[in-house]
Amino acid sequence: MRAIIKYGLNDGDIEVRDVPEPELLPGTVLLAARAVGVCGSDVHMWRNNQSWEVATPVIMGHESAGVIAAVGEGVTGWAVGDRVVCETAASICGECALCRTGRYNLCPHREGFGNLRDGAFGELLVAEPRVLHRIPEGVGFAEAAMTEPFAVAYNALVERAQINPGDLVVIQGFGAIGALALQIARLRGAGTIVVLGTNGDTLRLAKAREAGADHVVNVQAEDPAELLRTLGDGLGADVVVDATGVSIALKQGLDLVRPFGSIAKIGWGPQPLGFSLDPLVAKAVTLYGSFSHSWNTWERVLGLFASGRLDPASVIGGEYAIEDWEEAFEAMESGRNIKSVIRMSAD
């Protein structure tokens, strides 16, 4: 089968290869991918500036939607032809305290699709039934492939740093997660949403305004703190969302958040901090790390897709054949696309 492979640990060490089909094991299903979203983490792996462990060679991709092609021995409740999306936790121990309490996304033995286990940028994917969810009627494969990144934003802003109606929310960065965080913030009733970017984010900031941001700020041209002093009571943001992964964004977030406010840190970044965390203490700010998601998160997001309360199609900038993966990645890196989708099959 054809698959997008990260084969080395240098910038650009990715290519499409013919690889053997995976083996269907007892207790698993074989998923025939139809559409797979390109994650910002995939772009980082393309440039080899990721800050997480990667096994090479590995089939990339973890934002998958498709149909069940085969059902292994012992699997019940699933049938060939079922339309499904697949969570990212390819393997967990199932025995630790985190797994037993439903927080398997934090299992210390977790291995994710696309970095430690072969992922979805191939024609077939082996998965355990515990990570499958049915795609609602009326939701297409490309839209369903957006479930994973929306679940990331949902976890951060509903299950972790909760947004309340009327809140002033600052979103740092308008890549994919920033864009999805904006939709979640609106759904939660945020009163004012401010999106921050840099000189390289001209396209992204324009898209943020189109998506409903009340204010957009290029932080290299103007000071967002000055704007925040004119909004509400002038004390700062109720919630700051760090969707950049750049460590210095946390320093900025501490400057912009109001006393007793909260910061949701979603973005990854290997840079050292190099600044004092005293403002975190002085303002009594709550800093929420947010990683991945769990079963209930996926079910909630799929329900919101089905009801039309969330709009996954609005963030898809283009669909690409597997051979055009580099164009899809570059469109996200440059900001032309919020999300790119690799169309694995026309079925």
Side-chain angles (χ1 to χ4, degrees):
M1 68 177 188
R2 302 287 279 166
I4 301 172
I5 305 289
K6 181 171 175 64
Y7 60 86
L9 297 176
N10 298 299
D11 183 1
D13 280 357
I14 295 176
E15 64 183 11
V16 175
R17 292 181 178 178
D18 289 310
V19 298
E21 293 184 358
E23 179 184 359
L24 178 66
L25 302 173
T28 68
V29 304
L30 201 59
L31 175 65
R34 293 292 183 262
V36 184
V38 177
C39 180
S41 66
D42 296 320
V43 177
H44 286 305
M45 288 172 64
W46 175 35
R47 296 305 187 193
N48 203 57
N49 57 15
Q50 69 277 351
S51 56
W52 51 89
E53 183 182 0
V54 175
T56 57
V58 66
I59 300 174
M60 298 173 63
H62 57 267
E63 300 178 3
S64 58
V67 298
I68 293 178
V71 176
E73 180 183 349
V75 173
T76 60
W78 300 97
V80 171
D82 285 348
R83 302 168 71 244
V84 296
V85 289
C86 179
E87 292 183 35
T88 59
S91 175
I92 59 174
C93 75
E95 298 294 331
C96 71
L98 293 165
C99 286
R100 290 176 180 270
T101 54
R103 298 182 179 90
Y104 57 86
N105 56 311
L106 302 175
C107 171
H109 306 287
R110 177 188 184 277
E111 293 185 351
F113 286 116
N115 66 307
L116 294 178
R117 296 279 293 275
D118 281 336
F121 282 143
E123 294 166 353
L124 295 169
L125 172 72
V126 173
E128 298 175 21
R130 64 176 175 79
V131 296
L132 300 181
H133 300 261
R134 299 182 191 279
I135 300 174
E137 290 295 325
V139 177
F141 287 120
E143 291 76 23
M146 299 296 100
T147 309
E148 195 278 337
F150 268 100
V152 169
Y154 186 100
N155 179 34
L157 299 182
V158 177
E159 298 170 351
R160 301 292 290 147
Q162 298 181 6
I163 293 175
N164 296 308
D167 276 353
L168 170 57
V169 177
V170 170
I171 299 174
Q172 298 170 300
F174 203 73
I177 296 303
L180 308 185
L182 187 149
Q183 283 202 38
I184 297 292
R186 290 172 59 190
L187 190 63
R188 291 284 291 181
T192 303
I193 301 175
V194 180
V195 173
L196 309 184
T198 64
N199 288 337
D201 292 326
T202 301
L203 290 175
R204 292 186 177 97
L205 291 177
K207 289 178 180 180
R209 191 175 292 280
E210 292 172 4
D214 297 288
H215 304 273
V216 299
V217 179
N218 176 349
V219 298
Q220 291 179 286
E222 53 186 310
D223 183 0
E226 293 184 6
L227 171 65
L228 264 60
R229 282 192 285 269
T230 70
L231 300 176
D233 58 16
L235 290 176
D238 296 286
V239 180
V240 174
V241 183
D242 175 8
T244 70
V246 179
S247 294
I248 196 65
L250 179 58
K251 182 178 187 300
Q252 181 189 62
L254 289 170
D255 292 337
L256 299 180
V257 70
R258 69 185 291 113
F260 213 64
S262 61
I263 298 173
K265 182 161 178 54
I266 311 172
W268 291 69
Q271 308 91 353
L273 292 181
F275 56 86
S276 172
L277 291 178
D278 282 354
L280 186 76
V281 179
K283 289 185 175 183
V285 169
T286 302
L287 175 61
Y288 291 95
S290 183
F291 174 70
S292 193
H293 25 63
S294 60
W295 189 89
N296 185 61
T297 318
W298 282 64
E299 287 294 304
R300 291 297 179 95
V301 168
L302 286 164
L304 290 166
F305 286 178
S307 69
R309 303 292 299 281
L310 290 176
D311 183 8
S314 67
V315 299
I316 299 174
E319 299 183 31
Y320 303 81
I322 189 171
E323 291 78 13
D324 298 323
W325 69 267
E326 192 165 357
E327 181 183 352
F329 281 38
E330 193 280 328
M332 286 187 58
E333 183 181 49
S334 67
R336 295 199 312 277
N337 289 355
I338 293 174
K339 292 293 293 183
S340 297
V341 172
I342 304 295
R343 177 65 70 171
M344 304 301 297
S345 169
D347 294 347

